[in-house]
Amino acid sequence: ARDGVLGDPLGRGEEPGALWLASRRPNLYIFESLRSHDPILFYEHELNLRQQMRLPPWSRLISIELRGKQRDRLEAAANILLEKLRLNIQDPSLEALGAAPAFYQKIRGYWRFEILLRLNNPDENFPWEQIAPAMSKARQGATQVRIKPDPENLF
């Protein structure tokens, strides 16, 4: 394959397929992995990065998403919840991170804030008894509260 073009012998018909990628950072490891048809290169780099950042599979996550119509009230509620969680958490391997606007801050008229709980020992179960007391009043200032243990993504 020449630069920028990756030949694909499994095109949709008689002709082999081709893929064109445009990037401001063509030297990223993902592109090197694609050019060399070496998924292990991507896999090893990504696992190393996840280990350094203490992300799964070297930890477990809980995403707590708060939604509301009024951004200021929602942000205040998220910060109050974060402080309550930090006060209730006794397990030294459990961290409360955030509160921060969600990746998509507003969807269909609802603002979104997220708190992330990281359990640094992936073999442990979540200590719900330390999380539940703070969650009992989480709806103040928020229209909805969603808890996602082991989320597949953070969008």
Side-chain angles (χ1 to χ4, degrees), residues 14-99:
E14 300 294 322
E15 297 294 317
L19 172 66
W20 289 86
L21 297 173
S23 173
R24 293 177 191 249
R25 299 175 59 197
N27 295 328
L28 286 175
Y29 67 94
I30 188 168
F31 299 125
E32 179 57 35
S33 174
L34 288 169
R35 272 191 293 273
S36 63
H37 298 277
D38 184 3
I40 300 300
L41 175 69
F42 172 78
Y43 177 81
E44 287 175 348
H45 189 279
E46 194 67 21
L47 276 181
N48 184 40
L49 184 62
R50 286 175 164 274
Q51 186 174 23
Q52 290 174 22
M53 297 183 70
R54 293 181 291 155
L55 292 171
W58 283 272
S59 67
R60 294 185 69 193
L61 301 175
I62 297 176
S63 169
I64 302 171
E65 178 189 289
L66 290 87
R67 291 181 181 210
K69 289 280 191 179
Q70 297 177 339
R71 188 186 193 286
D72 293 343
R73 276 188 74 193
L74 183 64
E75 183 174 12
N79 286 320
I80 290 168
L81 175 57
L82 176 65
E83 287 308 311
K84 287 181 180 182
L85 284 165
R86 287 182 173 159
L87 288 172
N88 287 340
I89 291 173
Q90 305 296 317
D91 186 340
S93 72
L94 184 63
E95 298 175 86
L97 310 169

Side-chain angles (χ1 to χ4, degrees), residues 67-146:
R67 291 181 181 210
K69 289 280 191 179
Q70 297 177 339
R71 188 186 193 286
D72 293 343
R73 276 188 74 193
L74 183 64
E75 183 174 12
N79 286 320
I80 290 168
L81 175 57
L82 176 65
E83 287 308 311
K84 287 181 180 182
L85 284 165
R86 287 182 173 159
L87 288 172
N88 287 340
I89 291 173
Q90 305 296 317
D91 186 340
S93 72
L94 184 63
E95 298 175 86
L97 310 169
F103 186 80
Y104 297 109
Q105 293 183 33
K106 193 174 186 183
I107 296 177
R108 295 184 184 139
Y110 285 89
W111 292 95
R112 301 169 59 227
F113 271 77
E114 223 167 9
I115 295 171
L116 200 60
L117 300 179
R118 178 171 53 203
L119 185 59
N120 288 308
N121 184 346
D123 297 327
E124 286 183 23
N125 290 321
F126 291 116
W128 293 109
E129 68 283 353
Q130 295 175 37
I131 299 168
M135 296 303 300
S136 64
K137 294 188 179 181
R139 290 201 54 152
Q140 292 178 346
T143 303
Q144 298 175 347
V145 177
R146 294 195 333 188

